[in-house]
Amino acid sequence: MAARPDGLSAAAVSYGPEIRALALYFLVRQHLPVERTREVIIELCGVAVSTGWLHSLLALGADAVDKPVEAIEERIAAEPVAGFDETPLKVGPKGEKRYVLSASTTLFTLFTLGRRDKASFRMFLLGRMLGVVVHDRYSLYDNAEFDGFLHQLCVSHYADLRVTRVSHLRGGCGAGQGVVP
């Protein structure tokens, strides 16, 4: 019997990097459910992988992109302007809701799954932002813990608003312009 190639686990059955990459592609890029990914791998490759093995690939794939994701986080945090949003998503048991948190610039976009709470916002770049954060005025953006950045209202959330000079407003909300109903 030949020696096991580098990069394979010592499990009774091990699959190589090509099968792992193909399975991850179907799961993550093509958004196939686990069972359908299993069927495709069997039909295309003749390899009867288990659904448990397919699930385990998601953590391995996430680990593999840790460094590039950290680099993207650093680039977004260093940008002079970044847009932030949180979009609800039903995940897990019936009735459980999470949020797709996004941060984007003209060059980079980063997504993560979290909650609309301080811990998720802290983990998702807000504690490191120094420029202007464009957001929808969700109250956590104004939390005193996140005081290193300037705020800009994302007016796409308020299509019925018009832009006017700050001199016409009380308090003001930007450099020379503000929004009023």
Side-chain angles (χ1 to χ4, degrees):
M1 176 162 53
R4 192 176 299 270
D6 288 340
L8 296 182
S9 72
V13 176
S14 293
Y15 304 108
E18 290 86 5
I19 291 286
R20 291 192 307 250
L22 184 63
L24 270 171
Y25 169 76
F26 287 133
L27 290 167
V28 176
R29 177 65 177 101
Q30 295 301 326
H31 307 287
L32 290 182
V34 171
E35 187 57 44
R36 286 193 52 211
T37 297
R38 181 179 182 279
E39 292 171 9
V40 169
I41 296 293
I42 290 170
E43 291 173 10
L44 291 179
C45 304
V47 178
V49 299
S50 70
T51 56
W53 178 78
L54 288 167
H55 277 287
S56 75
L57 292 178
L58 295 172
L60 292 174
D63 290 345
V65 297
D66 268 348
K67 289 193 187 302
V69 168
E70 287 173 11
I72 291 169
E73 287 178 355
E74 290 173 16
R75 292 290 302 267
I76 290 173
E79 289 288 321
V81 178
F84 279 74
D85 195 41
E86 60 290 333
T87 302
L89 178 70
K90 293 179 183 177
V91 298
K94 186 175 181 172
E96 187 170 327
K97 182 168 54 172
R98 293 275 194 79
Y99 290 83
V100 176
L101 304 176
S102 67
S104 56
T105 68
T106 55
L107 294 177
F108 300 100
T109 300
L110 186 65
F111 298 99
T112 193
L113 191 61
R115 301 192 187 289
R116 273 181 120 185
D117 60 17
K118 196 183 332 180
S120 291
F121 274 50
R122 182 184 316 109
M123 179 269 312
F124 194 62
L125 291 175
L126 279 183
R128 296 187 291 175
M129 292 302 300
L130 298 175
V132 175
V133 171
V134 181
H135 59 83
D136 60 4
R137 292 220 35 162
Y138 179 61
S139 62
L140 274 174
Y141 290 104
D142 294 325
N143 188 287
E145 183 176 326
F146 311 127
D147 64 354
F149 55 84
L150 299 172
H151 300 263
Q152 171 63 49
L153 175 64
C154 176
V155 294
S156 67
H157 287 84
Y158 304 97
D160 60 335
L161 299 179
R162 62 185 164 82
V163 176
T164 188
R165 306 280 308 158
V166 166
S167 60
H168 300 291
L169 300 175
R170 287 187 223 164
C173 64
Q177 294 191 346
V179 292
V180 296

